[in-house]
Amino acid sequence: EAHPQKITVYLSAAELLDLERARLALRSYGITVDRGRLVREAIAVLLADLGAEGEASLLAGRLRDTT
């Protein structure tokens, strides 16, 4: 699937390492994805949770805890 829109995301070395570990874990489960697909799916999951749970969502809670 083509993705005509683009954003730039900056990650720390630790965050990039966590992303790569997640990709490798998925591969060990027989699921091969690139980092872009992994990030898009993670965003979709978080946004769905936000839509369903609102203020009680994982995303809202994590962002609330960091402000």
Side-chain angles (χ1 to χ4, degrees):
E1 176 181 343
H3 297 83
Q5 305 301 316
K6 179 180 177 180
I7 66 169
T8 300
V9 176
Y10 294 93
L11 301 174
S12 68
E15 290 166 333
L16 188 57
L17 186 57
D18 287 343
L19 183 63
E20 187 62 17
R21 285 183 179 141
R23 192 185 68 76
L24 292 173
L26 288 166
R27 189 167 75 178
S28 75
Y29 309 144
I31 303 167
T32 304
V33 295
D34 61 34
R35 290 183 297 195
R37 172 80 189 278
L38 177 54
V39 169
R40 286 189 302 274
E41 291 298 328
I43 290 169
V45 168
L46 285 172
L47 294 178
D49 181 53
L50 177 63
E53 300 297 328
E55 197 171 341
S57 69
L58 179 61
L59 182 59
R62 287 179 62 94
L63 291 173
R64 187 180 307 109
D65 291 345
T66 61
T67 57

